[in-house]
Amino acid sequence: MMGNEAKAKLFVISAPSGCGKGTLLNELSKRFDYYYSISCTTRKPREGEKDGVHYFFMTRKDFDKLADEDGFLEHAEFSGNCYGTPRKPVEDNIAAGRDVLLEIEPQGAFQVKAKRPDAVMLFILPPGVDSIARRLRRRALESGETEQQIQERLKTVVPDVRRAYEYDYVMVNGDLDKAVEDLVKIFTLAKEGGAGLEEFSAANMKETIDEVLKDA
Ligand code: 5GP
């Protein structure tokens, strides 16, 4: 080794529930090799979700035990449930030179940034808060979530989006092709150090964030 190989990057992505990040991240995974961190959660699986694939589903007791054992890189309570990133797989993959991607909400994202200041922080904005409500309602029809659960989630969207100003990069998940193109660009250039990504800086995206929050 000549010592000039790129160091593995830790990508931290936050996107409010219901903003359609699933499709987008799936496209990303076809184009890049990285370790996608599987989180632990105390929430119940939705239909089609598998233990060990989408999440490690666990009881509150087991979650708290893991937290006490310092098993999490970060953990947070969100919408009445606990979520946490298992620490060891993240550290092992980074040490082995493989990029890592975390898809977590802002409280956890900033815990990670505090521990690893070189983490690349990306916020994916919905085109508008209205579009999230529509998506959550559609999903509730399939998953059987109650109106109260939907309202709980909607309540978290606005405070989450307000934190977008603090991320390194911000992009909008509107048109899918454009969003994939933006995400690929952010990934590619961030891996090379971040030059050329000024258009996605939170400062340059300020008006777009303001716009999303306008009807909130
Ligand atoms: P959902 O219940 O819709 O799967 O996820 C709810 C929220 O929890 C999403 O914003 C998601 O990004 C976040 N989340 C998922 N895993 C983790 C985690 O390990 N830690 C934190 N802090 N948030 C997570």
Side-chain angles (χ1 to χ4, degrees), residues 13-17 21 39-40 43 46 49 55 74-76 78 83-86 103-105 107-109 139 153 160:
I13 298 186
S14 298
S17 331
K21 66 198 151 197
S39 299
C40 297
R43 87 152 159 74
R46 297 196 188 105
E49 283 183 335
Y55 281 104
E74 60 71 37
H75 61 96
F78 176 90
Y83 295 85
T85 303
E103 195 272 284
I104 61 179
E105 52 66 63
Q107 303 168 69
R139 189 169 74 190
R153 276 178 189 271
D160 277 6

Side-chain angles (χ1 to χ4, degrees), residues 118-151:
D118 59 336
V120 177
M121 306 272 287
L122 168 66
F123 196 97
I124 303 181
L125 286 170
V129 174
D130 282 359
S131 73
I132 293 197
R134 276 198 302 279
R135 259 184 224 265
L136 286 178
R137 292 229 153 71
R138 210 182 314 137
R139 189 169 74 190
L141 288 177
E142 295 157 18
S143 68
E145 273 183 322
T146 62
E147 180 62 26
Q148 196 195 346
Q149 284 168 316
I150 297 171
Q151 291 300 334

Side-chain angles (χ1 to χ4, degrees), residues 38-55:
I38 302 171
S39 299
C40 297
T41 184
T42 61
R43 87 152 159 74
K44 299 270 170 296
R46 297 196 188 105
E47 201 170 312
E49 283 183 335
K50 290 197 179 66
D51 188 42
V53 177
H54 299 92
Y55 281 104

Side-chain angles (χ1 to χ4, degrees), residues 94-115:
I94 294 282
R98 191 172 182 212
D99 293 338
V100 171
L101 190 153
L102 312 182
E103 195 272 284
I104 61 179
E105 52 66 63
Q107 303 168 69
F110 288 101
Q111 290 175 38
V112 174
K113 187 72 176 175
K115 284 187 189 161

